[in-house]
């Protein structure tokens, strides 16, 4: 008998095999996408364990609903949308169930770390510093900026994901960028 190795196949072929329940194809799809999906979730929920759980749940959901995917060429974008929706849902649920703001906790954790050296120039800010500073933004600012700048969604898509009007989305992103700019300048002054 001849067995195709999933690693030699393109994503579209693997998705077709996944639709028929092929577990090695599912594992290959998982291996191709899990890091990106974990990072997407982590930027929203800001918790490694939660992001890992959300990513796993999202893959399970995607594999069980694969028949509803009309065009296998958009699998990556479809999966990312599932991850983002699940991440936002879990994050909002977490915030609702906890009185202490997650941002307050993260701020204290980051405040106890070694901090940022004062001789950094604004032009030398590393991407990690920007991402760490983004954690200090209000939830809706952080989520909107993550979806726009990091995930690459346009205003219309973000409006749909966050369930806000297009005008509100543009205002939120504009204010989020300004807030990030101010926080980065404050970090540089210390």
């Amino acid at each position: 008998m001849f067995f195709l190795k999933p690693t030699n196949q393109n994503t579209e072929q693997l998705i077709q095999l996944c639709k028929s329940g092929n577990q090695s194809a599912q594992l290959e799809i998982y291996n191709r996408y899990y890091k990106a999906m974990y990072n997407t979730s982590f930027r929203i929920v800001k918790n490694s364990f939660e992001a890992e759980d959300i990513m796993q749940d999202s893959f399970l959901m995607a594999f069980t609903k694969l028949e509803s995917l009309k065009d296998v060429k958009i699998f990556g974008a479809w999966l990312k949308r599932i991850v983002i929706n699940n991440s936002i849902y879990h994050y909002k649920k977490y915030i609702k169930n906890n009185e202490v703001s997650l941002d307050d906790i993260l701020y204290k954790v980051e405040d106890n770390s070694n901090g940022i050296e004062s001789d950094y120039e604004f032009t030398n800010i590393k991407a990690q510093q920007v991402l760490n500073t983004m954690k200090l933004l209000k939830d809706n600012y952080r989520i909107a900026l993550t979806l726009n700048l990091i995930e690459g969604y346009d205003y219309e898509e973000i409006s749909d994901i966050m369930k806000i009007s297009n005008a509100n989305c543009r205002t939120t992103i504009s204010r989020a960028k300004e807030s990030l700019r101010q926080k980065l300048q404050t970090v540089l002054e210390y």
Side-chain angles (χ1 to χ4, degrees):
M1 257 186 127
F2 177 70
F3 290 99
L4 291 175
K5 291 190 176 188
T7 54
N8 297 332
Q9 296 176 337
N10 68 32
T11 302
E12 289 85 13
Q13 291 170 322
L14 286 170
I15 297 300
Q16 292 304 331
L17 289 172
C18 288
K19 283 184 176 183
S20 65
N22 184 310
Q23 291 183 341
S24 63
Q26 290 175 341
L27 180 60
E28 180 62 25
I29 288 293
Y30 176 84
N31 288 333
R32 288 184 185 187
Y33 286 94
Y34 83 92
K35 285 182 185 174
M37 296 305 120
Y38 168 82
N39 289 335
T40 296
S41 181
F42 182 76
R43 284 189 292 266
I44 294 171
V45 298
K46 302 185 283 186
N47 178 297
S48 180
F49 297 113
E50 187 76 16
E52 184 75 27
D53 286 347
I54 291 167
M55 182 208 43
Q56 298 285 343
D57 290 345
S58 297
F59 271 101
L60 287 172
M61 183 183 291
F63 288 138
T64 59
K65 295 184 177 195
L66 210 46
E67 289 300 323
S68 69
L69 179 63
K70 304 283 188 251
D71 184 1
V72 294
K73 292 177 184 171
I74 63 162
F75 175 79
W78 181 73
L79 177 62
K80 184 184 258 187
R81 177 58 73 95
I82 291 171
V83 170
I84 287 172
N85 288 341
N86 285 343
S87 298
I88 290 172
Y89 170 79
H90 284 286
Y91 185 75
K92 286 180 178 178
K93 188 169 120 183
Y94 177 83
I95 291 299
K96 186 183 278 188
N97 293 334
N98 292 286
E99 293 178 20
V100 178
S101 167
L102 188 58
D103 284 333
D104 291 341
I105 295 168
L106 284 169
Y107 180 76
K108 289 175 184 165
V109 169
E110 290 173 358
D111 203 31
N112 290 332
S113 65
N114 292 333
I116 299 172
E117 295 176 22
S118 61
D119 60 321
Y120 274 89
E121 300 280 337
F122 187 75
T123 55
N124 293 332
I125 293 178
K126 294 181 180 175
Q128 192 59 48
Q129 290 172 299
V130 173
L131 291 173
N132 286 339
T133 305
M134 280 180 68
K135 292 177 186 176
L136 303 175
L137 297 174
K138 292 179 4 182
D139 291 342
N140 62 329
Y141 285 3
R142 181 183 47 75
I143 292 171
L145 272 186
T146 297
L147 292 173
N148 183 246
L149 300 177
I150 298 171
E151 302 301 334
Y153 285 101
D154 63 26
Y155 293 129
E156 188 174 317
E157 292 169 317
I158 296 168
S159 299
D160 185 44
I161 291 169
M162 294 183 70
K163 296 177 178 37
I164 57 177
S165 70
N166 203 318
N168 191 359
C169 177
R170 290 179 186 278
T171 302
T172 300
I173 290 174
S174 175
R175 289 179 181 168
K177 287 178 181 178
E178 182 56 34
S179 179
L180 179 62
R181 212 174 280 118
Q182 289 173 358
K183 288 185 185 315
L184 285 170
Q185 288 174 342
T186 303
V187 166
L188 291 175
E189 290 172 2
Y190 288 107

